[in-house]
């Protein structure tokens, strides 16, 4: 008997300390953690106590004897991680958690956190966890509602993943927490407004800018970024009113990360299934009229380097009425299961095997997700709107420690009515703060933002995607935020933080902002409208309606 971690694993590692025998790995202090697709339970170590089930924020863990049939492949996926003998060689106890000392002071430590996604709320949770210190945390959010990509990124049919929100939202009820939503740094206030009113500012504002391909036709009507499409189906106010042309049977998604898989699943799921989610009503109506029957997902490298995870491929394979196909020569010819990739734990062999099995089962009378590998887009073609994509065939070659794609000279064209560029995201510069334009992040060391000379700028920190770049699942941001908060508290203890120079409250500058009570009013209205429609919530998609529900009058 063992317990098994399944698809919705958010990697926040809450389960790790709960396990009395330390059999959940990789732990945040192990090297594999940063790149792990998910966490795994060692079947030989598990004592079946169920402690992990109680703490898992996304209900991802089952005893193997209760594992639903559709999640059965996760048993092998969990045990595969421990096949290498060194992965069994773990210490049975965890090092004690280091809690920095916060010196007693008449004036409480005041911290502004910019962004209310996972990184911002994990940072707030860590700061407010030192109960005796009386720390005050103001979380500033540009949208009228908190949650970041948990609300506006995670796919609507991943409701189980969205339950992580219950845990994140609990932080908003802690003494010392304040939400100032509908306030944008760079629009309503600037960094100096924060730096002069708080001991420290933590930037946790994510990475929401699109990446460009730089190929002809990229901006043609019918060519969209994943950010637009995901924002649209999730009811983000900036995208909710967009219209997409689903009149052609085929959509091509460029890039093969988990976002590409989300998009394929949402576009091809049955409308009845989507109706039971919190997908935006406008998106649901447009998808109901959709003629799309095939989504082609194109990756420039081979299967071994594919960015989507095996867990998400298994999830896609469970969608009713959907076949998954790939070109067998692309699965086997790439030869890229090289030792470069295999030197760290990878589920690439399982992914490859699964794609072979799924392709063998695919039937042409169902909707289809076609995975293409080893092809780079070189042009989006069409006269006045998208009619296809030209792809150049690649072979994999090693460059130092990296496996990169090199064109072979072969070119093919895939006809389609819409192209989605799902290439990952980028951070944006913040005012005059230093910015690493190559990685599109704030330059940091252990969460401290660095000046152009490489020294920490006193009182300025970063966490989450704006610190690490746009990769990692929700829980990855927890360890990241904890590292940042520890640096901040160490600096405070070492008297490196300047007390606020300007008296008065930030609210004097930005009032009215949506506070926690305002958010609860929005949340409650969305849930009650949703309940009447048999849905978890019906999202409000305009800023005006959200502010009205929060009883806030729009700032001009
Ligand atoms: P974000 O979540 O982006 O939060 C940043 C916040 O800052 C936002 O609320 C934003 O509005 C706010 N902000 C930005 N600029 C400003 C400003 N100037 N002033 C004030 N506020 C500002 N992970 C999973 O585990 N499971 C999933 O199913 C999953 N699905 C995903 C789907 C998509 C489409 C994407 C893109 C990612 C997904 N992830 C998923 C990854 C996960 O969402 C990220 O790891 C996580 O959200 C990053 O957290 P963050 O706090 O750094 O950024
Ligand atoms: P991603 O995982 O970084 O994938 C980006 C894809 O775009 C890769 O296939 C990449 O190929 C490709 N790409 C980038 N530039 C390209 C170019 N110029 N030409 C061709 N292809 C290009 O990004 P993502 O899918 O946006 O996901 C972001 C993060 O969120 C990931 O960590 C992901 O796991 C997480 N997420 C998780 C879930 C979930 O758990 N369910 C869901 C969604 C997102 P290369 O690999 O060759 O660079």
């Amino acid at each position: 008997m063992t317990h098994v971690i399944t698809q919705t694993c958010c990697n926040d590692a809450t389960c790790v300390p709960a396990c009395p025998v330390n059999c959940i790995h990789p732990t945040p202090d192990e090297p594999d953690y940063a790149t792990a697709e998910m966490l795994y339970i060692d079947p030989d170590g598990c004592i079946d106590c169920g402690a992990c089930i109680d703490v898992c924020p996304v209900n991802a863990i089952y005893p193997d004897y209760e594992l639903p049939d559709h999640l059965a492949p996760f048993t092998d996926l969990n045990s595969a991680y421990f096949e290498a003998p060194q992965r069994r060689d773990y210490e049975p106890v965890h090092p004690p958690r280091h809690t920095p000392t916060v010196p007693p002071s008449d004036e409480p430590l005041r911290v502004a956190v910019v962004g209310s996604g996972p990184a911002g709320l994990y940072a707030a949770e860590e700061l407010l966890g030192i109960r005796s210190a009386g720390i005050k945390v103001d979380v500033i959010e540009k949208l009228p509602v908190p949650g970041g990509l948990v609300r506006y990124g995670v796919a609507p049919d991943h409701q189980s993943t969205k339950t992580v929100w219950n845990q994140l939202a609990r932080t908003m009820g802690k003494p010392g927490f304040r939400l100032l939503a509908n306030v944008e740094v760079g629009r309503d206030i600037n960094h100096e407004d924060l730096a002069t009113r708080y001991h420290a500012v933590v930037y946790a504002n994510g990475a929401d800018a699109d990446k460009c391909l730089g190929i002809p036709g990229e901006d043609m009507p019918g060519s969209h970024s994943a950010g637009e499409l995901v924002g649209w189906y999730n009811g983000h106010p900036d995208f909710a009113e967009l219209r997409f042309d689903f009149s052609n049977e085929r959509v091509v998604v460029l890039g093969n990360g988990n976002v590409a898989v989300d998009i394929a699943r949402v576009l091809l799921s049955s409308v009845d299934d989507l109706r039971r989610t919190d997908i935006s009503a406008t998106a649901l109506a447009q998808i109901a009229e959709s003629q799309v029957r095939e989504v082609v997902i194109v990756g420039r490298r081979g299967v071994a380097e594919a960015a989507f995870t095996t867990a998400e491929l298994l999830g896609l394979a469970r969608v009713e009425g959907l076949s998954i196909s790939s070109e067998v020569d692309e699965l086997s010819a790439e030869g890229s299961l090289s030792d470069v990739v295999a030197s760290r734990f990878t589920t690439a062999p399982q992914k490859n095997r699964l794609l072979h099995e799924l392709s063998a089962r695919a039937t042409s009378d169902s909707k289809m997700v076609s995975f293409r590998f080893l092809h780079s887009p070189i042009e989006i073609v069409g006269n006045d709107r998208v009619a296809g994509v030209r792809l150049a065939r690649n072979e994999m070659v090693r460059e130092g420690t990296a496996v990169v794609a090199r064109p072979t000279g072969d070119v093919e064209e895939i006809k389609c009515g819409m192209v989605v560029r799902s290439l990952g995201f980028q951070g944006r510069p913040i005012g005059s703060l230093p910015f690493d334009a190559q990685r599109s992040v704030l330059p940091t060391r252990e969460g401290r933002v660095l000046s152009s000379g490489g020294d920490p700028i006193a009182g300025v920190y970063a966490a989450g995607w704006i610190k690490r770049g746009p990769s990692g699942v929700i829980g990855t941001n927890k360890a990241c935020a904890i590292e940042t908060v520890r640096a901040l508290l160490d600096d405070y203890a070492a008297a490196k933080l300047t007390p606020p120079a300007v008296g008065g409250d930030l609210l004097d500058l930005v009032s009215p902002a949506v506070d926690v009570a305002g958010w609860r009013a929005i949340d409650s209205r969305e849930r009650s409208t949703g309940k009447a429609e048999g849905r978890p919530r019906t999202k409000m998609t305009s800023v005006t309606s959200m502010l009205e529900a929060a009883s806030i009058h729009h700032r001009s």
Side-chain angles (χ1 to χ4, degrees):
M1 304 277 206
T2 179
H3 281 54
V4 179
I5 304 184
T6 65
Q7 187 189 346
T8 49
C9 177
C10 71
N11 292 35
D12 83 339
T14 305
C15 53
V16 168
C19 174
V21 293
N22 189 23
C23 75
I24 304 179
H25 293 265
T27 64
D29 46 1
E30 290 171 343
D32 279 352
Y33 180 77
T35 52
E37 291 187 353
M38 52 180 280
L39 306 187
Y40 309 94
I41 293 178
D42 182 356
D44 290 341
C46 176
I47 55 168
D48 258 337
C49 67
C52 52
I53 296 186
D54 296 339
V55 297
C56 174
V58 292
N59 306 320
I61 309 179
Y62 296 80
D64 58 356
Y65 47 87
E66 285 178 9
L67 196 64
D69 286 349
H70 68 270
L71 296 176
F74 284 91
T75 308
D76 286 347
L77 207 56
N78 276 241
S79 59
Y81 179 76
F82 297 93
E83 269 162 22
Q86 71 271 20
R87 295 217 175 81
R88 286 265 164 74
D89 206 14
Y90 48 75
E91 289 293 318
V93 278
H94 285 272
R97 199 172 151 191
H98 157 79
T99 307
T101 322
V102 178
S105 161
D106 292 343
E107 196 189 352
L109 172 63
R110 291 173 53 81
V111 180
V113 174
V114 180
S116 68
L121 291 178
Y122 285 134
E125 180 189 25
E126 190 65 11
L127 284 161
L128 297 171
I130 308 171
R131 289 198 200 96
S132 55
I135 298 173
K136 304 273 181 215
V137 178
D138 283 356
V139 171
I140 295 144
E141 168 56 54
K142 70 177 176 183
L143 293 169
V145 284
L149 289 167
V150 175
R151 180 177 166 103
Y152 289 121
V154 172
D157 59 342
H158 275 174
Q159 286 300 315
S160 188
T161 302
K162 286 186 192 249
T163 55
V164 74
W165 176 245
N166 299 336
Q167 191 195 48
L168 290 169
R170 226 170 280 143
T171 298
M172 298 201 297
K174 289 195 171 167
F177 182 97
R178 224 167 42 152
L179 176 69
L180 283 74
N182 197 38
V183 176
E184 181 171 343
V185 176
R187 178 191 66 183
D188 306 308
I189 50 171
N190 58 35
H191 174 68
E192 282 62 41
D193 293 326
L194 298 173
T196 50
R197 284 170 176 79
Y198 296 86
H199 290 87
V201 185
V202 178
Y203 282 95
N205 52 312
D208 64 357
D210 295 326
K211 273 188 186 161
C212 290
L213 280 168
I215 59 172
E218 190 165 5
D219 298 324
M220 196 183 301
S223 165
H224 303 278
S225 71
E228 287 169 358
L229 194 77
V230 167
W232 166 77
Y233 64 57
N234 273 317
H236 188 297
D238 292 350
F239 308 106
E241 296 310 317
L242 293 180
R243 291 200 69 79
F244 294 88
D245 182 352
F246 297 128
S247 60
N248 191 292
E249 287 200 356
R250 186 181 293 132
V251 169
V252 172
V253 180
L254 302 174
N256 66 8
N258 279 339
V259 171
V261 174
D262 279 351
I263 287 170
R265 212 182 49 249
V266 170
L267 292 186
L268 296 176
S269 285
S270 90
V271 175
D272 283 342
D273 286 346
L274 292 175
R275 212 188 300 284
R276 289 192 285 274
T277 73
D278 64 354
I279 191 170
S280 107
T282 325
L284 186 66
Q286 285 184 50
I287 291 175
E289 301 297 318
S290 167
Q291 301 301 312
V292 178
R293 291 192 54 77
E294 183 187 15
V295 175
V296 182
I297 297 180
V298 183
R300 60 180 163 181
R301 297 192 286 161
V303 169
E305 298 81 23
F308 64 85
T309 58
T310 304
E312 287 310 303
L313 178 60
L314 285 164
L316 187 68
R318 289 202 306 273
V319 177
E320 204 135 320
L322 194 65
S323 283
I324 296 175
S325 79
S326 8
E327 305 284 322
V328 174
D329 76 300
E330 291 171 8
L331 290 184
S332 33
E334 35 93 5
S336 65
L337 289 173
S338 61
D339 48 18
V340 177
V341 171
S343 62
R344 58 175 173 76
F345 176 68
T346 165
T347 61
Q350 288 96 323
K351 220 180 260 183
N352 197 316
R353 202 177 325 121
L354 190 58
L355 283 169
H356 273 287
E357 285 167 18
L358 293 166
S359 300
R361 261 191 265 154
T363 58
S364 57
D365 56 350
S366 62
K367 290 182 181 173
M368 183 80 73
V369 177
S370 307
F371 281 95
R372 298 295 308 271
F373 297 97
L374 298 165
H375 281 88
S376 290
I378 51 171
E379 184 180 359
I380 298 177
V381 294
N383 289 328
D384 49 0
R385 60 164 300 106
V386 168
V389 193
R390 295 187 80 221
L391 302 173
R393 170 96 188 201
N394 297 321
E395 59 186 358
M396 301 309 301
V397 289
R398 269 196 228 179
E399 264 179 22
T401 56
V403 180
V404 298
R406 185 172 61 194
T408 61
D410 292 343
V411 171
E412 79 173 275
E413 188 173 317
I414 303 184
K415 296 204 179 315
C416 64
M418 187 168 124
V419 168
V420 184
R421 307 176 311 267
S422 185
L423 309 168
F425 296 84
Q426 304 192 90
R428 300 174 195 267
I430 300 158
S432 57
L433 285 179
F435 193 68
D436 178 342
Q438 204 173 355
R439 293 181 55 227
S440 73
V441 294
L442 288 171
T444 57
R445 194 161 53 235
E446 293 169 346
R448 296 177 178 95
V449 175
L450 304 176
S451 69
S452 48
D455 297 321
I457 305 176
V460 189
Y461 304 85
W465 277 17
I466 193 64
K467 168 183 163 188
R468 303 189 321 275
S471 77
V473 287
I474 293 164
T476 320
N477 302 292
K478 186 168 182 172
C480 174
I482 289 173
E483 179 192 60
T484 298
V485 167
R486 285 181 186 172
L488 187 162
L489 293 175
D490 284 346
D491 290 351
Y492 184 53
K496 290 182 181 165
L497 302 184
T498 316
V502 173
D505 194 334
L506 189 70
L507 263 183
D508 300 339
L509 289 184
V510 299
S511 185
V514 177
D515 60 9
V516 174
W519 151 241
R520 290 204 174 115
I522 297 169
D523 185 47
S524 147
R525 192 179 293 183
E526 286 188 343
R527 284 182 194 272
S528 65
T529 324
K531 195 170 176 194
E533 298 167 0
R535 317 180 63 198
R537 68 170 69 238
T538 300
K539 279 184 183 169
M540 288 180 215
T541 57
S542 82
V543 169
T544 313
S545 61
M546 289 189 260
L547 294 182
E548 183 266 321
S551 306
I552 302 280
H553 300 291
H554 212 313
R555 254 195 325 272
S556 58

